[in-house]
Amino acid sequence: MSTLFRGLLVLALLYLFLTGVELLSGGFKVMGKGFVDGLFEGVSNPLGGLFVGLLATVLVQSSSVSTSVIVGLVASGVVGPDDAVPMIMGANLGTTVTNTLASLGHVRRDMEFRRAFAAATIHDFFNILAVAVFLPIELATGYLSTTAEWITERVLGSSGAAFDSPLKAAVKKPAGLVKDVLVDLGAHGNWKGGLMIVIGLACIFVALGYITKNMRLLVADRVEAAINRALGAGSGIVAIVLGMIITIAVQSSSITTSVLVPLAASGVLTLENIYPVTLGANVGTTVTALLASLATGNPAAVTVAIVHTLFNLSGILLFYPIRFLRNLPLRLATGMSNIAAERRSTAIAYALGMFVVVPLLGVLLLR
């Protein structure tokens, strides 16, 4: 497949993705607030929302998918912006599961596994620390949501009404055609809304999956060389920007961070060099939700998407400039990898506990 054709395919898939977001949002509106409230009971509890976002991202293996769905829920009025913030933070935590699982592929080789597991879990620990700091601050002061609302007002105006988004206008026609077909087939009320949600989710999954696959093929040969060149310059800021750019290009922070794991395992890159690239990937992955929010034409959805970006930027600004704070995730990841290398079962227990048992229990207990 030629590069030009693959690029055009990515644009078509992006259009399908935005259409899926519009269908998802419209489907929840058709279902009615009373029907869907039960699906998200417990989300109003901040910890419950955090665990829902984490578990959802682990299940779909993509924070881009889960944050786009959250944006759609906010646009449809099912989830309020304040309730969505912990869910976004949970999705940010859940996205690290892929590189943690990738590191387990080196479990039979002691030094390789030690380096790979440290490279994977540094992303985990940074996100855990960021949530531990900013979730209480957000609950106490509304720092993230208030700042995001201010930015939304500056960009879209302060009326609070739906805005005329060119992206929403572009996807309105295909979404409308799907609705008309469902009506022609005899689907009405909750059946129509449910089918719109299913079709919307299918569009989001398929589109993001193939966007990621095609972008990886388009840039795969350049990613490792770009990382090595940037890290050779020895600049943390350059590495952060590079991680952000690569993640925006491939539409997946999991790909960016998972590429780093085998490079770390082989000793090509050090943990200190990998660290800033993962931070950039955290910021780059928020672009998908921003695009999805613009397609909804809903200011609250845009605010939630901006919260995602602000959360990751705030974590970098807090932890990275100060040496003591910057070293915390490094020390935690190194300590965990040393323990896991001595007892392999610890690595399995960590992955299951962090990404399955704890969030599942949290969701069940806080509903």
Side-chain angles (χ1 to χ4, degrees), residues 94-299:
T95 194
T96 63
V97 66
T98 306
N99 42 300
T100 302
L101 293 176
S103 69
L104 297 179
H106 302 271
V107 72
R108 293 185 178 180
R109 295 173 289 278
D110 183 69
M111 284 308 299
E112 279 189 26
F113 177 63
R114 192 183 297 265
R115 290 191 292 254
F117 199 68
T121 54
I122 194 169
H123 198 186
D124 299 356
F125 285 117
F126 178 84
N127 284 342
I128 290 169
L129 290 170
V131 169
V133 171
F134 288 104
L135 181 56
I137 290 175
E138 170 64 15
L139 295 176
T141 67
Y143 152 68
L144 291 170
S145 53
T146 302
T147 307
E149 285 173 7
W150 181 86
I151 294 172
T152 303
E153 288 176 3
R154 300 286 81 73
V155 175
L156 304 178
S158 57
S159 67
F163 60 96
D164 294 328
S165 167
L167 290 178
K168 183 176 177 64
V171 300
K172 192 172 182 179
K173 187 172 182 179
L177 287 174
V178 172
K179 295 177 191 175
D180 292 341
V181 169
L182 291 176
V183 171
D184 291 341
L185 292 174
H188 298 279
N190 286 343
W191 273 105
K192 176 185 170 185
L195 288 171
M196 285 172 64
I197 291 170
V198 170
I199 295 169
L201 286 172
C203 290
I204 291 171
F205 273 97
V206 171
L208 284 178
Y210 280 100
I211 286 172
T212 298
K213 179 180 178 181
N214 280 279
M215 288 305 297
R216 183 172 56 205
L217 292 171
L218 281 171
V219 303
D221 295 336
R222 304 175 183 90
V223 167
E224 186 174 337
I227 289 174
N228 283 322
R229 280 199 304 272
L231 297 182
S235 170
I237 301 300
V238 171
I240 289 173
V241 172
L242 178 70
M244 182 174 65
I245 292 172
I246 291 174
T247 302
I248 292 172
V250 299
Q251 286 289 291
S252 172
S253 61
S254 297
I255 287 180
T256 306
T257 53
S258 295
V259 163
L260 300 174
V261 170
L263 294 177
S266 62
V268 172
L269 296 179
T270 66
L271 189 60
E272 290 76 8
N273 283 339
I274 285 169
Y275 182 21
V277 181
T278 66
L279 303 187
N282 259 1
V283 177
T285 195
T286 66
V287 169
T288 308
L290 286 169
L291 281 173
S293 69
L294 292 173
T296 67
N298 184 291

Side-chain angles (χ1 to χ4, degrees), residues 121-122 124-127 129-130 133 271 275 318-320 322-336:
T121 54
I122 194 169
D124 299 356
F125 285 117
F126 178 84
N127 284 342
L129 290 170
V133 171
L271 189 60
Y275 182 21
L318 173 64
F319 285 99
Y320 199 72
I322 303 170
R323 181 180 294 273
F324 170 73
L325 294 176
R326 181 168 67 241
N327 287 339
L328 279 178
L330 287 166
R331 290 173 180 171
L332 289 169
T334 302
M336 176 60 76

Side-chain angles (χ1 to χ4, degrees), residues 29 31 37 71 76 81 87 132 166 184 193 220 278 283 304 319 356 359 364:
K29 287 179 181 176
M31 296 285 278
D37 273 350
V71 163
S76 64
M87 294 172 70
D184 291 341
T278 66
V283 177
V304 168
F319 285 99
V356 180
L364 293 174

